Amino acid sequence: MGVVNVTPDSFSDGGRWFDTTTAVKHGLDLVAQGADLVDVGGESTRPGATRVDETEELRRVIPVVRGLASEGVAVSVDTMRASVAEQALAAGAALVNDVSGGLADPAMIPVVAASGAPFVVMHWRGFLEGGNVKGVYEDVVTEVFDELHARVQAVLEGGVAPDRIVVDPGLGFSKQAEHDLALLAHLDRLHALGHPLLVAASRKRFLGRVLAGPEGEPPPARERDAATAAVSALAAQAGAWAVRVHEVRATADAVRVARAVEAARAAGPAPGTPTRGAHPGPGPGTAEGAR
Ligand code: PMM
């Protein structure tokens, strides 16, 4: 999933794709680089960002969704507003990606349910104003699992079909670097939710922390793409359904390599591997064994 942020203020690429023509062209470039889906958003979810009003969000998002969909691109709309989701679906979007998992707008779940579109349910603890007080966990993996499970139940009760739901741990949302890393280390546990998993690590703060080491300055967001590709490979190996990234080419390659290694694993023992019991190597007590 490639990202097109039609915003002046996203932390990772704010302002770069802010007019419709540039944004559509960028989305097409991402497809040429290997994206299967393009995620179009008109509101920055950066902690402390002021919310954009509905009219402005519609103005930013809908023409870009229409432009990309009319070129045959599978478009996802990144929005917390039901009205934006509804109009984006009417303009050709194929999927709704709501970082609030349906919590920010009570009309979201009915709109998605009525459309039959797939719905990304992200782990979210609310809007952050001043500090990250909601980012306190005793056991982040268990708590994210339980809270996502509760959201999935609410979404199912709201009428979205089970095979339309995608779950996402919400890296960086009410989470510190150690929480993001713990979630990535235990993606296997989130599979137990029984839904495809989306992982959106691209350029996020925890990567800046990892790259900076304990003392140094984190590199700027745009210099975190190699690290993003590394996370993409790890997420693909852990069975993620999709990874959401700003720079697609490196991640598409990383995912291909992870898939090829996985296929080799599935094919069985490596060529030339001696079978168990037939190993001719040294046993205990031999001169070689003593080395
Ligand atoms: N993160 C951002 C925006 N949208 N959607 C999903 N499903 N998961 C995320 O983690 C997520 C998202 C914020 O990143 P950006 O400003 O770089 O797009």
Side-chain angles (χ1 to χ4, degrees):
M1 176 188 279
V3 180
V4 177
N5 283 321
V6 196
T7 56
D9 60 343
S10 281
F11 86 97
S12 49
D13 55 358
R16 296 192 68 201
W17 328 113
F18 193 44
D19 76 81
T20 302
T21 313
T22 320
V24 171
K25 177 171 182 316
H26 183 54
L28 294 172
D29 287 346
L30 295 179
V31 171
Q33 289 164 22
D36 298 314
L37 264 172
V38 174
D39 192 40
V40 178
E43 175 169 48
S44 169
T45 51
R46 205 161 36 89
T50 39
R51 289 211 69 186
V52 58
D53 70 37
E54 181 184 345
T55 314
E56 174 63 9
E57 191 182 347
L58 288 165
R59 188 196 68 75
R60 292 177 186 180
V61 166
I62 303 305
V64 179
V65 170
R66 187 174 294 114
L68 286 170
S70 71
E71 297 282 343
V73 175
V75 178
S76 142
V77 60
D78 184 349
T79 184
M80 289 185 268
R81 284 199 174 93
S83 56
V84 177
E86 192 164 34
Q87 292 196 38
L89 290 164
L95 181 150
V96 177
N97 172 26
D98 177 358
V99 299
S100 82
L103 283 167
D105 184 342
M108 180 64 94
I109 294 173
V111 160
V112 174
S115 74
F119 188 43
V120 176
V121 179
M122 198 192 82
H123 176 259
W124 190 73
R125 284 188 168 181
F127 295 103
L128 291 180
E129 283 125 19
N132 200 9
V133 285
K134 293 169 181 157
V136 177
Y137 302 85
E138 278 190 12
D139 173 350
V140 66
V141 180
T142 303
E143 287 167 61
V144 166
F145 180 95
D146 289 346
E147 290 166 31
L148 267 177
H149 185 258
R151 284 316 300 154
V152 166
Q153 287 312 114
V155 169
L156 288 169
E157 279 159 27
V160 178
D163 66 351
R164 307 275 86 188
I165 297 175
V166 175
V167 291
D168 177 340
L171 301 176
F173 286 80
S174 298
K175 292 168 194 85
Q176 308 293 339
E178 67 265 27
H179 301 136
D180 294 331
L181 290 167
L183 287 162
L184 285 169
H186 297 287
L187 288 178
D188 54 321
R189 283 181 52 198
L190 300 182
H191 285 309
L193 288 163
H195 296 280
L197 194 60
L198 172 68
V199 176
S202 189
R203 297 181 176 172
K204 283 191 175 164
R205 206 175 46 229
F206 78 97
L207 293 176
R209 275 278 302 281
V210 169
L211 297 176
E215 303 292 336
E217 273 290 294
R222 284 221 248 145
E223 289 170 25
R224 300 176 194 166
D225 287 330
T228 298
V231 177
S232 296
L234 293 168
Q237 189 177 32
W241 166 77
V243 286
R244 176 185 180 279
V245 298
H246 301 88
E247 201 281 309
V248 166
R249 193 182 306 276
T251 271
D253 287 354
V255 168
R256 268 192 218 114
V257 171
R259 203 182 285 150
V261 171
E262 203 43 53
R265 194 196 320 279
T273 305
T275 48
R276 216 181 261 274
H279 196 282
T286 65
E288 246 193 314
R291 264 209 302 272

